[in-house]
Amino acid sequence: MSNTIKQLQWRYATKKFNEDKMLSEEKLNILKQAFNLTATSYGLQTIKMLVVEDKTLRAKLVEHSYNQRQVVDASHLLVICIQENIVNADVDNYYENIKNIRETPDNILKPYREGLLEMVSKMSIQERQLWSTKQAYIALGNLMTVCAIEAIDACPMEGFVPSKYDDILKLSSKGLKSVLLLPVGYRAKDDMFSEFKKVRQPINEAVIEI
């Protein structure tokens, strides 16, 4: 069995974290890099990740997380956010970045830039936010896999009140909205869920080959 599969079997949605065990800067940096390297549609990164270490701040978030203690007990809380809106400047900046990094001429980039601008212009703000939210889920899945490989415990969470998070974390001032949470750290020794066997469909039912 490959080490990757072993680590994916090892991981679980951690219910109780060791409050005293913190991620090293090296491990934290791996998660930051993994988020930034996540695939996004067109490569246009309309998502951001907040890394929240401040326990006092996180304590304020618990009641808006349906009292799930992982939010404050974990080493760090990762908050995956989307932009409130996608504007022309986002597309222009993206293609300028391509130009600078790859030294791609403007005449080659122009049709792609114009095509993406046209597509975004036809979307409502709600459609743009939904599009970004789909990218946020891709990032969450990527982070969970990286956590497993790096032996970092994590608990993906949708159960929170985004509007309250946005207020407490002052996300509107950054043009952001919270959509997903990922507390990360290390499991507590007495978290009984860590010993539970995984419940999954047989491979031949979950995977269809044609």
Side-chain angles (χ1 to χ4, degrees):
M1 183 185 297
S2 77
N3 188 59
T4 298
I5 298 303
K6 286 180 181 177
Q7 287 306 112
L8 289 174
Q9 289 180 335
W10 169 86
R11 68 144 298 277
Y12 73 109
T14 305
K15 299 296 186 288
K16 188 175 182 182
F17 284 90
N18 182 338
E19 298 180 56
D20 300 318
K21 195 171 182 181
M22 301 293 288
L23 291 180
S24 66
E25 284 299 319
E26 179 185 6
K27 291 289 188 181
L28 199 56
N29 189 53
I30 288 171
L31 296 184
K32 293 175 184 177
Q33 293 282 356
F35 174 81
N36 199 42
L37 289 168
T38 293
T40 58
S41 186
Y42 291 89
L44 185 67
Q45 296 171 281
T46 61
I47 56 176
K48 304 290 182 187
M49 183 176 77
L50 265 69
V51 180
V52 188
E53 182 176 358
D54 187 329
K55 289 255 185 183
T56 302
L57 182 58
R58 284 191 278 156
K60 297 177 183 177
L61 298 171
V62 174
E63 66 174 304
H64 306 301
S65 314
Y66 302 101
N67 293 313
Q68 296 176 91
R69 291 287 308 176
Q70 298 98 310
V71 166
V72 68
D73 291 343
S75 171
H76 293 75
L77 174 64
L78 309 183
V79 184
I80 303 177
C81 306
I82 61 169
Q83 292 180 199
E84 289 182 316
N85 196 10
I86 303 169
V87 297
N88 288 354
D90 295 316
V91 176
D92 289 335
N93 290 338
Y94 169 55
Y95 278 99
E96 283 301 310
N97 206 22
I98 295 176
K99 178 182 174 181
N100 293 333
I101 292 173
R102 296 179 178 171
E103 299 182 348
T104 309
D106 281 325
N107 64 307
I108 292 177
L109 293 177
K110 184 178 179 181
Y112 297 102
R113 185 198 300 252
E114 291 178 347
L116 185 52
L117 284 169
E118 182 181 5
M119 189 194 80
V120 172
S121 71
K122 292 178 179 177
M123 292 179 174
S124 66
I125 291 179
Q126 290 73 23
E127 288 171 331
R128 294 170 191 172
Q129 290 183 358
L130 177 59
W131 187 40
S132 294
T133 298
K134 291 178 179 178
Q135 315 310 308
Y137 276 91
I138 295 172
L140 177 67
N142 188 42
L143 285 167
M144 289 170 62
T145 300
V146 171
C147 280
I149 292 170
E150 293 292 328
I152 297 169
D153 285 299
C155 183
M157 293 171 57
E158 294 179 298
F160 71 106
V161 184
S163 60
K164 295 295 186 181
Y165 265 67
D166 296 352
D167 288 343
I168 292 171
L169 298 174
K170 298 178 172 57
L171 295 183
S172 183
S173 65
K174 300 177 177 66
L176 301 174
K177 294 170 67 70
S178 58
V179 292
L180 292 165
L181 306 179
L182 189 67
V184 293
Y186 298 99
R187 65 190 68 177
K189 289 182 179 179
D190 60 347
D191 186 355
M192 65 179 183
F193 290 92
S194 67
E195 302 299 324
F196 287 4
K197 290 183 178 180
K198 281 209 182 302
V199 179
R200 295 292 189 275
Q201 295 177 347
I203 287 289
N204 62 354
E205 291 183 17
V207 179
I208 301 171
E209 298 185 59
I210 57 175

